[in-house]
Amino acid sequence: MAEIQSPMPGVFYRRPSPDKDPFVQDGDPVEADQVIGLIEVMKQFSEVRSDAAGTLQAFEVEDGDMVNPGDVIAVVTEG
């Protein structure tokens, strides 16, 4: 398993915008370097990408939650 961690503090979003579908859902396949969410810091958005290819097992934070550097955002089962 691979943990996707927050690189910075901010607000985590699973969607590119409120009216769009989430980048990825629990159970979806993900590729290495695929965008799984965004972190907003002072109106600046940074992409959060998967470090590994596999299946997104689960998000560990909810859409709109505050995150800090090193917080686990999601878990990917590799393979």
Side-chain angles (χ1 to χ4, degrees):
M1 281 203 210
E3 294 181 338
I4 301 170
Q5 298 180 350
S6 174
M8 64 186 69
V11 179
F12 176 73
Y13 295 106
R14 292 178 56 181
R15 305 168 186 271
S17 66
D19 60 336
K20 300 286 185 189
D21 290 334
F23 288 104
V24 57
Q25 301 273 17
D26 292 355
D28 284 353
V30 293
E31 299 295 324
D33 206 38
Q34 179 178 336
V35 176
I36 65 152
L38 301 171
I39 295 178
E40 176 193 8
V41 181
M42 298 176 63
K43 304 294 181 202
Q44 299 282 332
F45 291 87
S46 298
E47 295 176 337
V48 176
R49 296 178 176 270
S50 177
D51 298 329
T55 301
L56 191 121
Q57 193 69 30
F59 279 96
E60 299 294 318
V61 296
E62 296 297 321
D63 190 48
D65 279 358
M66 287 292 300
V67 293
N68 292 301
D71 286 354
V72 176
I73 291 175
V75 177
V76 173
T77 303
E78 298 177 78

